C-alpha cells in the first residue's frame, strides 16, 4: 500500500538533482563567513526578495525568533495575529527567551490583521506601559487556511505601522506560495516588511533551512542572535546548495501543489458531512467532518495509508512535491471508504 503523506509540506524529500547539488557544493566555515555556497544563497535570496542582505537559519522558528530579538528590546510588546504561527506554534520562544510580550489581535478569515485592533493595540509612550516594538504578519497564513495576503493588504498594514514609526516582520514561511498564487514577483510581497523569513524546507523541497532577509545592518545584528540561538552552522553549504537549487528550480512548480489542493477540495466537498474550512487558495486544505471525532478519523486514515493531522476542529491536508494528482484521487477514495464504513 502506498503511503500518502499529507501531514505537511515539511515532509518533502530532496530530488535526485537537489541531492547532486548538495554533494557537489563548495564548502567553508560559515560562522567565519567563509562558506561560498551559503554566501551565494544569501545573495540570491536577498536579491529575489528585494532586500539588502539575507541570513541562512536552521528553521522558520529560528528565523522568526532572531527577527523578533533583533527588532525589539526585552520587555517590548510585539503585535501579532491570534492565529499566527509565531504565537501558537513557536514554543513561546519570544517570551521565554526574549522577554517579549506577544499582544494578540484577531486575524480575519483571510489571515489579515484587524487594522482597527492593531491601531488600538499600539502603546502610547507612558512610564506605565511596555513599548510596542514590532508588528508581525504571516503570508500565506497557515491556520487561516493557507490564505494569501495581497500587496494591498500588506500596504494597508504598512501604513498603520508607519503612522507610529514601527517596523513590520513578515513570517513568509510560504511566501513563495503566495507569490505564485498571486502571480507577482515575491519581492512585491516582501516590499512592505522590514524583515522577512521564508522557508526552503517546505514546498520548495529542501531538507533543511530558512532565510531571514532585511537591511544589511539588521542582518548583521540578527547574525549574532542566530549564533546565540545555536544556529551558527559550519559547512552549511551542503544545506545552502539545496536552497539554491530550490530557488532556481522549485518555485514555479508550487502552482501544481495549488492545483492538486483545488482537486482535493473539489473531491472533499462532494462527500456528505465534509465542509471546506475555508476553500484552499494555495497548498493547505482544511476541512470539517460532521459526525466524527477527528482524532479517530485521523487514526482510521492512517490505517489505510493516508497521513494527516487534525487541529482545532479541522483536518488539514497539505499538497507538496511528491504528491501527484493520482495520490490526491487515491486519498479521496480511501477517505470515502473509511467514512462509508462508519465511525
Ligand atoms: N509550520 C509547520 C508546523 O510547525 C505547524 C507546518 O506543518 O505547517 N511559520 C509558519 C507560517 C509555518 O507554517 C511554520 C511551520 C513555521 C513558521 C516554522 O517553520 P519551521 O518548522 O521551519 O520552524
Amino acid at each position: 500500500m502506498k503511503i500518502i503523506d499529507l501531514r505537511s509540506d515539511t515532509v518533502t524529500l530532496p530530488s535526485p538533482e537537489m541531492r547532486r547539488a548538495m554533494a557537489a557544493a563548495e564548502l567553508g566555515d560559515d560562522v567565519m563567513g567563509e562558506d561560498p555556497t551559503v554566501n551565494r544563497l544569501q545573495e540570491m535570496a536577498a536579491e529575489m526578495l528585494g532586500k539588502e542582505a539575507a541570513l541562512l537559519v536552521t528553521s522558520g522558528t529560528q528565523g522568526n525568533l532572531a527577527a523578533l530579538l533583533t527588532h525589539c528590546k526585552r520587555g517590548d510588546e510585539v503585535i501579532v495575529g491570534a492565529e499566527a504561527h509565531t504565537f501558537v506554534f513557536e514554543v513561546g520562544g519570544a517570551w521565554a527567551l526574549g522577554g517579549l510580550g506577544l499582544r494578540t489581535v484577531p486575524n480575519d478569515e483571510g489571515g489579515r490583521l484587524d487594522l482597527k485592533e492593531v491601531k488600538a493595540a499600539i502603546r502610547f509612550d507612558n512610564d506605565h506601559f511596555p513599548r510596542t516594538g514590532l508588528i508581525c504578519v504571516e503570508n500565506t497564513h497557515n491556520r487561516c487556511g493557507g490564505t494569501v495576503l495581497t500587496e494591498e493588504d500588506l500596504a494597508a498594514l504598512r501604513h498603520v505601522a508607519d503612522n507610529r514609526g514601527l517596523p513590520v516582520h513578515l513570517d513568509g514561511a510560504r511566501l513563495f506560495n503566495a507569490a505564485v498564487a498571486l502571480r507577482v514577483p515575491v519581492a512585491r510581497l516582501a516590499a512592505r516588511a522590514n524583515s522577512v523569513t521564508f522557508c526552503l524546507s517546505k514546498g520548495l523541497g529542501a531538507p533543511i533551512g530558512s532565510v531571514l532577509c532585511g537591511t544589511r545592518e539588521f542582518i548583521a545584528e540578527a547574525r549574532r542572535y542566530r549564533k546565540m540561538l545555536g544556529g551558527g552552522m559550519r559547512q552549511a553549504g551542503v544545506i545552502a546548495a539545496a536552497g539554491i537549487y530550490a530557488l532556481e528550480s522549485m518555485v514555479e512548480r508550487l502552482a501544481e501543489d495549488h492545483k492538486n489542493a483545488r482537486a482535493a477540495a473539489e473531491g472533499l466537498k462532494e462527500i456528505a458531512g465534509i465542509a471546506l474550512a475555508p476553500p484552499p487558495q494555495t497548498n493547505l486544505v482544511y476541512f470539517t467532518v460532521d459526525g466524527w471525532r477527528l482524532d479517530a478519523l485521523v487514526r482510521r486514515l492512517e490505517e489505510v495509508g493516508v497521513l494527516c493531522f487534525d487541529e482545532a476542529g479541522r483536518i488539514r491536508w497539505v499538497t507538496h512535491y511528491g504528491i501527484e494528482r493520482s495520490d490526491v484521487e487515491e486519498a479521496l477514495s480511501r477517505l470515502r471508504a473509511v467514512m462509508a464504513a462508519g465511525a
Side-chain angles (χ1 to χ4, degrees), residues 8 10 59-61 64 85 89-90 138 142 171 173-174 199 201-202 210 316:
S8 183
T10 59
S59 65
T61 301
N64 285 334
H85 193 278
F89 288 122
E90 293 177 15
E138 185 174 314
N142 182 345
D171 175 0
R174 297 186 179 83
C199 294
S201 60
K202 298 196 165 63
S210 292
R316 186 181 79 161

Side-chain angles (χ1 to χ4, degrees), residues 92-260:
W95 57 87
L97 305 179
L100 301 173
L102 294 197
R103 172 91 175 261
T104 58
V105 298
N107 286 106
D108 71 11
E109 73 290 345
R112 290 169 289 259
L113 298 177
D114 182 323
L115 295 184
K116 245 174 59 203
E117 299 270 356
V118 172
K119 281 184 206 159
I122 300 171
R123 302 282 192 165
F124 284 94
D125 191 17
N126 180 301
D127 281 355
H128 298 82
F129 297 158
R131 288 199 183 94
T132 303
L134 177 69
I135 305 175
C136 288
V137 64
E138 185 174 314
N139 197 13
T140 63
H141 200 292
N142 182 345
R143 266 164 77 91
C144 290
T147 46
V148 173
L149 275 68
T150 63
E151 285 176 81
E152 291 72 32
D153 295 330
L154 297 162
L157 178 70
R158 177 82 254 169
H159 184 67
V160 170
D162 280 347
N163 275 340
R164 299 295 299 278
L166 289 173
V168 172
H169 173 68
L170 169 59
D171 175 0
R174 297 186 179 83
L175 192 63
F176 283 91
N177 292 83
V180 165
L182 291 168
R183 297 198 170 91
V184 298
V186 72
R188 297 254 291 268
L189 300 177
R192 305 296 185 155
N194 300 79
S195 58
V196 183
T197 311
F198 73 85
C199 294
L200 297 162
S201 60
K202 298 196 165 63
L204 297 180
I208 311 169
S210 292
V211 182
L212 175 60
C213 305
T215 62
R216 224 168 259 117
E217 196 189 0
F218 175 87
I219 291 299
E221 189 62 13
R223 200 180 161 84
R224 294 175 65 86
Y225 282 114
R226 179 186 71 172
K227 188 79 176 86
M228 191 189 281
L229 297 173
M233 298 180 283
R234 299 296 177 172
Q235 283 70 41
V238 281
I239 297 167
I244 292 170
Y245 182 85
L247 291 178
E248 282 173 348
S249 309
M250 301 290 282
V251 172
E252 291 311 318
R253 63 150 302 287
L254 293 173
E256 269 174 57
D257 299 341
H258 300 174
K259 222 159 87 190
N260 287 335

Side-chain angles (χ1 to χ4, degrees), residues 70-81:
T70 306
H71 282 295
C72 301
K73 288 200 202 59
R74 277 188 93 74
D76 281 0
E77 206 164 56
V78 176
I79 297 178
V80 65

